[in-house]
């Protein structure tokens, strides 16, 4: 029989139960819990060197960014991000000492807060799923599973690996071992160092670097070399569609279907069919209207300049023939040149002047035999001279000015549109010398082609670096962190995360990705983070990907569990975490992260940006206008309709601008912010925000209990329940052991960097250093955790009894 208490609980609204879950957020942080700047520096440096850095750094190479755009664009974009934290997020957090949840609760009402939390839960699950996918890309290596870089997994075993990794991550998140949290803290400096070591060890395979100038040249020519091959002109010639290519930058190549390092390309790219092309008879076709077509690459030759005949000796003439033969496969018409070369070779192998075959062969014995043959074959006197074929006249080849692709299908005699889908495997992929491929596209004749992925330029990179953490700074989610700051200027400590993780780590990941693409002779978009890291650093690199995925998925999964408690407020914490983990693992089975992470990050920020905009307007602009803050809450409204409509207007504008291709996703932040702010100001004025009412206070009554610290945020240490005498006795021992293990951990990091430098300088080979990096990593983890353990003991011993 249900008790009266049970009946009361059932009648209790979901909003009241949600408020109980977030009781700790209702009371502002007290001065005794404020933290020093060192904590914020360590927090941001650790959180922003994550598994996604491996992916984002490689995506800049995939999308055809240029060196100047990456180096300077990331610098400017990260400055904007740091300023957003410092001038917007941190001041509001310091002035209110509240989290965004409870502050927005007073502005938007409980209904809008529930919507915000549900949206956050979904986005956190997707983000945590991305981390698990990245970690699984390294775990798959021992099982021989090929890289998975499409929307859907191509190998069922990869799904098994993802489920296994997800199960481990979810279990650790539920158990919440304290030592695992310490281990995550230890991993942060090591992971950053692995980015640097990977770049140093792979840079020599990309190009020779002796100074800063040569480094810049190598970066421009072989790493961030700009857009890859693309379609400049689409026209019809009879029953064929002709595609004129641009941005080739050197010779064009078609890759073979092969695996492993050094897999070859086609000898003559003009003699092989190109897969992935489709034709349609209408200019605006539906997907079902396209028919598979045959396509071949064709060279565009220039005019041949007349050159005087050369009277060089026979040896130089044969060498030129052989060089021409070796290059002929690259530029077409290989059969004619190869036939001439074969004839010249047969002449060289035949006996001359009636001599025997033995006399015609090169003599490596005494001087007397070699001298006679040498005089007869080469016309010289004395010494050894191998037989050389007579000079064979080879017609000089005209220079190649460019390339075109001819597409034809017997089923479509009058084609009007063409579509290209890049092969999922390396076979048949058209790419330049840096293995930047021809991207998928669809186009009609005499119209601009529609590429599936447009190249990104300087401002794209600037805005992406700015909006990469848009939900945290302009979206104000990091109010939960900066409410513990002593000053709003502590927002500048976010620079440790931006310029170590989002600048240095991204650049290093790009170098490793470019080196892996050249080594495997495969587009980087067909390689995952695990394969790139394993190629660069061996098992230490694979371990770095796994740890980076786990250490970032774990707290993200925890945040998703908190947000999901909106709809499950009476469930135990472990069950909510299990639910979030199940959703996250299911998402992780789809490896879209390796190609579409930048899009997701942009969408994530845009979806939550209007919430921060509404808070900024009501917090700063309303007092300037003389309007009433928390006007909707003071009227007892469960929903701030003006805020909901403003949120919808901002997102609606973003959807229209993006889908109509009027504005790139990365540039939506400015119009969305302005549209949300203007709409909210107008609607709030119409709904009564400009008319002040008598109210007991600006916010709801705060509970009298002291604030409880949030797991994952900062909490003042609790004094240990031990006597002062044993504590003082252990101080000396703890200090000594802490220093020993701390020094040992530091030496492991220095040794890892030193070995990587030796590889870069050419003193050691990468294959010999890679196992050493793994041993140093394991030693670092052990000594680092012991260092933190003894440091904690020392801090506990110093607490007053």
């Amino acid at each position: 029989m249900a008790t009266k208490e049970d009946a009361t609980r059932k009648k209790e609204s979901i909003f009241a139960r949600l408020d109980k879950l977030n009781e700790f957020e209702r009371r502002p942080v007290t001065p005794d819990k404020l933290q020093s700047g060192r904590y914020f520096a360590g927090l941001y440096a650790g959180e922003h060197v994550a598994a996604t850095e491996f992916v984002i750094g490689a995506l800049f190479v995939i999308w055809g960014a240029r060196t100047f755009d990456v180096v300077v664009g990331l610098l400017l974009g990260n400055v904007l991000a740091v300023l957003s934290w410092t001038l917007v997020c941190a001041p509001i957090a310091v002035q209110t000492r509240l989290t965004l949840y409870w502050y927005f609760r007073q502005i938007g009402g409980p209904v809008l807060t529930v919507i915000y939390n549900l949206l956050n839960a979904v986005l956190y699950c997707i983000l945590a799923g991305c981390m698990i996918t990245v970690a699984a890309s390294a775990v798959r290596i021992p099982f021989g599973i090929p890289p998975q870089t499409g929307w859907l997994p191509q190998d069922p075993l990869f799904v098994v690996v993802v489920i296994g990794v997800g199960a481990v991550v979810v279990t650790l998140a539920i158990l919440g071992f304290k030592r695992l949290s310490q281990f995550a803290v230890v991993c942060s400096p090591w992971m950053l160092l692995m980015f640097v070591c990977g770049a140093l060890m792979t840079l020599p395979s990309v190009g020779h670097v002796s100074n800063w100038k040569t480094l810049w040249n190598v970066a421009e020519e072989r790493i961030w070399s700009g857009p890859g091959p693309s379609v400049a002109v689409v026209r019809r010639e009879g029953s064929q569609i002709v595609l004129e290519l641009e941005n080739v930058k050197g010779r064009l190549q078609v890759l073979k279907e092969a695996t492993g390092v050094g897999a070859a390309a086609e000898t003559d790219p003009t003699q092989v069919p190109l897969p992935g092309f489709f034709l349609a008879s209408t200019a605006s076709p539906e997907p079902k209207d396209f028919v598979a077509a045959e396509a071949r690459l064709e060279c565009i030759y220039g005019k041949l300049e007349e050159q005087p005949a050369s009277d060089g000796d026979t040896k130089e003439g044969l060498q030129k023939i052989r060089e021409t033969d070796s290059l002929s496969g690259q530029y077409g018409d290989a059969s004619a040149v190869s036939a001439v070369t074969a004839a010249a070779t047969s002449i060289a192998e035949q006996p001359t002047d009636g001599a025997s075959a033995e006399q015609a062969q090169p003599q490596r014995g005494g001087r007397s035999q070699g001298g006679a043959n040498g005089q007869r074959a080469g016309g010289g006197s004395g010494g050894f001279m191998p037989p050389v074929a007579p000079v064979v006249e080879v017609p000089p080849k005209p220079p190649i000015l460019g390339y075109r692709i001819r597409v034809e299908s017997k089923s479509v005699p009058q084609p009007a549109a063409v579509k290209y889908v890049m092969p999922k495997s390396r076979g048949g992929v058209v790419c330049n010398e840096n293995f930047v491929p021809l991207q998928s596209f669809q186009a009609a004749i005499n119209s601009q082609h529609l590429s599936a992925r447009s190249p990104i330029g300087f401002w794209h990179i600037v805005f992406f670096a700015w909006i990469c953490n848009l939900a945290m700074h302009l979206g104000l989610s990091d109010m939960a962190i900066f409410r513990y700051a002593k000053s709003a200027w502590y927002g500048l400590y976010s620079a440790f995360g931006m310029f170590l993780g989002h600048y240095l780590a991204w650049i290093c990941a790009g170098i490793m990705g470019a080196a892996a693409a050249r080594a495997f002779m495969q587009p980087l978009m067909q390689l995952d983070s695990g394969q790139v890291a394993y190629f660069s650093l061996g098992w230490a690199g694979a371990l770095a990907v796994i740890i980076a995925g786990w250490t970032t998925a774990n707290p993200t999964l925890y945040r998703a569990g908190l947000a999901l408690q909106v709809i499950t407020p009476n469930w135990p914490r472990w069950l909510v975490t299990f639910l979030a983990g199940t959703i996250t693992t299911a998402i992780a089975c789809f490896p879209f992260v390796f190609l579409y992470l930048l899009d997701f990050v942009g969408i994530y920020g845009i979806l939550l940006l209007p919430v921060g905009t509404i808070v900024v307007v009501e917090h700063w602009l309303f007092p300037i206008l003389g309007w009433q803050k928390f006007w909707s809450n003071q009227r007892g409204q469960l929903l701030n309709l003006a805020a909901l409509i403003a949120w919808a207007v901002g997102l609606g504008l973003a959807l229209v601008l993006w889908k109509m291709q009027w504005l790139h996703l990365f540039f939506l932040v400015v119009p969305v912010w302005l549209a949300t702010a203007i709409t909210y100001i107008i609607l709030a004025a119409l709904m009564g925000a400009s008319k002040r009412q008598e109210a007991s206070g600006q916010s709801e009554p705060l509970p009298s209990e002291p604030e409880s610290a949030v797991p994952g945020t900062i909490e003042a240490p609790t004094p240990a329940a031990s006597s002062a005498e044993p504590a003082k006795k252990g101080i000396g021992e703890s200090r000594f052991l802490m220093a020993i293990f701390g020094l040992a951990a530091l030496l492991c990091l220095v040794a890892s960097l030193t070995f990587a430098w030796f590889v870069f300088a050419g003193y050691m080979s990468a294959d010999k250093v890679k196992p050493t990096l793994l041993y140093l990593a394991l030693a670092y983890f052990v000594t680092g955790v012991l260092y933190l353990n003894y440091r904690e003991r020392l801090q506990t011993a110093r607490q007053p009894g």
Side-chain angles (χ1 to χ4, degrees):
M1 185 175 179
T3 62
K4 183 178 180 181
E5 183 179 348
D6 294 334
T8 304
R9 186 181 297 109
K10 291 181 180 179
K11 293 180 180 180
E12 190 177 28
S13 68
I14 187 174
F15 310 118
R17 288 182 287 171
L18 181 61
D19 290 343
K20 287 184 178 180
L21 287 174
N22 296 277
E23 192 81 15
F24 55 83
E25 297 175 342
R26 298 183 63 180
R27 188 174 186 84
V29 172
T30 54
D32 61 300
K33 293 184 178 180
L34 301 183
Q35 301 295 318
S36 64
R38 184 176 62 181
Y39 169 80
F40 294 94
L43 177 65
Y44 276 92
E47 281 197 358
H48 295 281
V49 181
T52 50
E53 291 10 298
F54 286 100
V55 181
I56 295 175
L59 285 175
F60 290 144
V61 179
I62 292 173
W63 287 4
R66 301 182 187 277
T67 302
F68 177 84
D69 300 341
V70 172
V71 174
V72 181
L74 288 180
L75 185 67
L76 179 58
N78 284 317
V79 168
L80 292 176
V82 172
L83 292 178
S84 298
W85 266 300
T86 307
L87 302 179
V88 180
C89 181
I92 296 178
V94 170
Q95 292 170 18
T96 63
R97 299 294 179 187
L98 295 171
T99 64
L100 175 64
Y101 172 84
W102 189 249
Y103 198 52
F104 185 59
R105 167 73 165 73
Q106 299 177 72
I107 294 174
V111 173
L112 205 58
T113 307
V114 168
I115 297 174
Y116 173 78
N117 261 33
L118 286 175
L119 182 59
N120 243 336
V122 174
L123 295 175
Y124 278 136
C125 285
I126 297 175
L127 186 59
C130 292
M131 308 298 180
I132 293 177
T133 304
V134 174
S137 71
V139 178
R140 66 158 185 84
I141 294 176
F143 301 100
I145 303 173
Q148 309 291 304
T149 55
W151 272 102
L152 299 175
Q154 303 299 315
D155 194 323
L157 289 179
F158 181 77
V159 178
V160 176
V161 170
V162 169
I163 294 174
V165 174
V168 172
V169 172
V170 173
T171 302
L172 295 178
I174 291 175
L175 295 178
F177 293 123
K178 184 177 182 181
R179 296 297 176 228
L180 292 177
S181 177
Q182 288 183 338
F183 181 68
V185 174
V186 169
C187 289
S188 296
W190 176 79
M191 285 190 296
L192 178 62
L193 187 69
M194 287 299 101
F195 279 97
V196 177
C197 291
L200 286 175
M201 293 174 62
T202 56
L203 192 55
S205 65
V206 180
H208 175 69
V209 176
S210 58
N211 49 47
W212 288 107
K213 183 178 180 180
T214 57
L215 174 61
W216 186 266
N217 292 337
V218 168
E220 282 189 322
E221 296 173 1
R222 300 193 172 189
I223 302 175
W224 302 284
S225 56
S230 59
V231 177
V233 178
V234 182
R235 69 175 189 273
R236 184 171 63 196
E237 292 184 1
S239 62
Q240 296 181 340
I241 291 281
V242 179
L243 309 173
E244 305 284 352
L245 302 182
E246 62 180 357
N247 299 325
V248 175
K249 298 176 183 177
R251 65 185 178 90
L252 207 59
Q253 54 186 351
V254 178
L255 303 182
K256 287 183 179 180
E257 187 62 61
T259 58
V261 176
E266 297 288 350
T267 304
D268 185 356
T270 64
Q271 300 300 315
V272 295
L274 304 178
F277 283 90
F278 302 86
L279 292 178
S281 56
T282 59
S284 301
E286 298 291 332
K288 62 180 180 179
D289 297 332
F290 283 101
V291 177
E294 297 180 358
R296 287 187 181 273
L297 190 65
E298 186 178 272
C299 299
I300 302 176
Y301 293 101
K303 293 183 179 181
L304 181 63
E305 298 181 1
E306 295 185 0
Q307 297 181 355
S310 175
D311 294 331
D313 58 24
T314 56
K315 184 177 180 180
E316 294 178 355
L318 181 60
Q319 181 65 25
K320 290 181 179 179
I321 294 172
R322 289 173 177 168
E323 290 177 355
T324 306
D325 181 55
S326 65
L327 294 175
S328 62
Q330 311 289 351
Y331 302 98
D333 296 337
S335 57
V337 181
S338 298
V340 174
T341 307
T345 306
S346 65
I347 294 174
E349 293 176 350
Q350 293 175 0
T352 58
D353 297 336
S356 63
E358 289 79 2
Q359 292 174 332
Q361 296 298 326
Q363 302 293 329
R364 302 184 183 274
R367 179 185 179 93
S368 59
Q369 290 179 332
N373 292 332
Q375 290 177 1
R376 186 164 54 248
S381 61
F384 167 72
M385 192 73 170
V388 179
V391 176
V392 180
E393 293 293 336
V394 178
K397 298 186 67 61
I400 294 179
L401 302 181
Y403 294 88
R404 66 169 66 97
I405 297 176
R406 292 187 177 272
V407 189
E408 185 177 15
S409 175
K410 295 180 180 179
S411 303
V412 187
Q414 296 294 324
V418 60
K419 181 174 72 172
Y420 172 67
V421 179
M422 196 187 82
K424 296 180 180 179
S425 60
R426 71 187 310 277
V429 173
V430 180
C431 59
N432 61 15
E433 293 178 333
N434 292 328
F435 300 94
V436 180
L438 174 67
Q439 297 276 356
S440 301
F441 67 89
Q442 178 179 330
I445 57 174
N446 301 322
S447 65
Q448 184 178 5
H449 74 282
L450 302 176
S451 177
R453 173 63 62 193
S454 301
I456 57 176
F458 175 78
W459 290 109
H460 294 85
I461 295 177
V462 170
F463 273 78
F464 176 77
W466 182 25
I467 71 168
C468 184
N469 292 108
L470 185 61
M472 282 68 181
H473 47 71
L474 291 184
L476 303 183
S477 291
D478 275 357
M479 284 178 61
I481 295 175
F482 284 110
R483 60 178 174 157
Y484 292 94
K486 296 179 180 179
S487 168
W489 291 109
Y490 276 33
L492 292 174
Y493 284 104
S494 62
F496 284 90
M498 296 301 97
F499 291 101
L500 292 179
H502 293 186
Y503 190 79
L504 179 61
W506 285 358
I507 289 177
C508 291
I511 295 174
M512 288 188 285
R518 298 183 73 86
F520 288 95
M521 294 187 68
Q522 189 168 359
L524 185 54
M525 63 176 54
Q526 295 181 349
L527 304 176
D528 57 22
S529 300
Q531 190 167 6
V532 172
Y534 180 73
F535 163 77
S536 304
L537 296 163
W539 286 112
L543 185 62
V545 173
I546 295 172
I547 292 177
W550 165 67
T551 55
T552 47
N554 198 55
T556 306
L557 187 61
Y558 174 78
R559 295 187 183 104
L562 284 180
L564 278 177
Q565 285 191 298
V566 171
I567 57 176
T568 59
N570 293 327
W571 288 18
R573 178 64 52 80
W574 72 267
L575 186 57
V576 177
T577 304
F578 178 78
L579 174 63
T582 302
I583 299 173
T584 296
T585 304
I587 294 173
C589 293
F590 301 91
F592 66 91
V593 59
F594 297 111
L595 291 181
Y596 300 99
L597 179 61
L598 299 193
D599 287 344
F600 170 71
V601 169
I603 294 172
Y604 179 19
I606 293 298
L607 286 175
L608 300 181
L609 173 64
V611 172
T613 305
I614 293 169
V615 171
V616 168
V617 168
E618 185 140 340
H619 180 80
W620 275 329
L621 191 58
F622 275 26
I624 295 176
L625 297 175
W627 294 4
Q628 186 177 24
K629 291 176 63 176
F630 315 124
W631 60 276
S632 178
N633 187 39
Q634 292 185 2
R635 286 165 172 76
Q637 298 175 356
L638 295 178
L639 172 65
N640 185 337
L641 188 59
L644 178 62
I645 296 176
W647 192 353
V649 168
L651 296 185
L653 177 64
L655 183 63
V656 172
L657 294 177
W658 184 31
K659 289 302 181 181
M660 298 300 294
Q661 298 186 356
W662 293 340
L663 204 61
H664 194 277
L665 173 64
F666 299 164
F667 302 148
L668 295 177
V669 54
V670 175
V672 169
W673 199 97
L674 292 175
T676 304
I678 294 172
T679 303
Y680 184 65
I681 291 172
I682 295 174
L683 293 179
L686 295 176
M687 294 181 183
S690 58
K691 301 176 182 178
R692 285 190 170 273
Q693 292 185 359
E694 294 296 329
S696 59
Q698 287 187 333
S699 62
E700 295 182 0
L702 299 175
S704 57
E705 296 87 352
E707 179 194 8
S708 301
V710 189
T713 61
I714 307 173
E715 182 180 8
T718 304
S722 58
S723 61
E725 185 175 351
K728 293 180 180 179
K729 184 178 180 180
I731 289 180
E733 180 182 357
S734 296
R735 183 186 292 112
F736 174 75
L737 293 176
M738 182 188 71
I740 292 296
F741 289 120
L743 180 60
L746 180 61
L747 289 177
C748 290
L749 296 179
V750 173
S752 299
L753 184 60
T754 303
F755 279 113
W757 178 262
F758 284 164
V759 175
F760 171 75
Y763 298 125
M764 300 182 69
S765 66
D767 292 336
K768 293 183 178 180
V769 169
K770 289 176 183 178
T772 306
L773 291 179
L774 178 61
Y775 302 145
L776 289 173
L778 297 177
Y780 169 76
F781 294 148
V782 173
T783 54
V785 170
L786 290 173
Y787 164 77
L788 285 183
N789 185 28
Y790 280 102
R791 188 179 71 170
E792 180 184 354
R793 290 186 183 183
L794 183 61
Q795 292 174 347
T796 303
R798 288 176 175 174
Q799 294 292 332

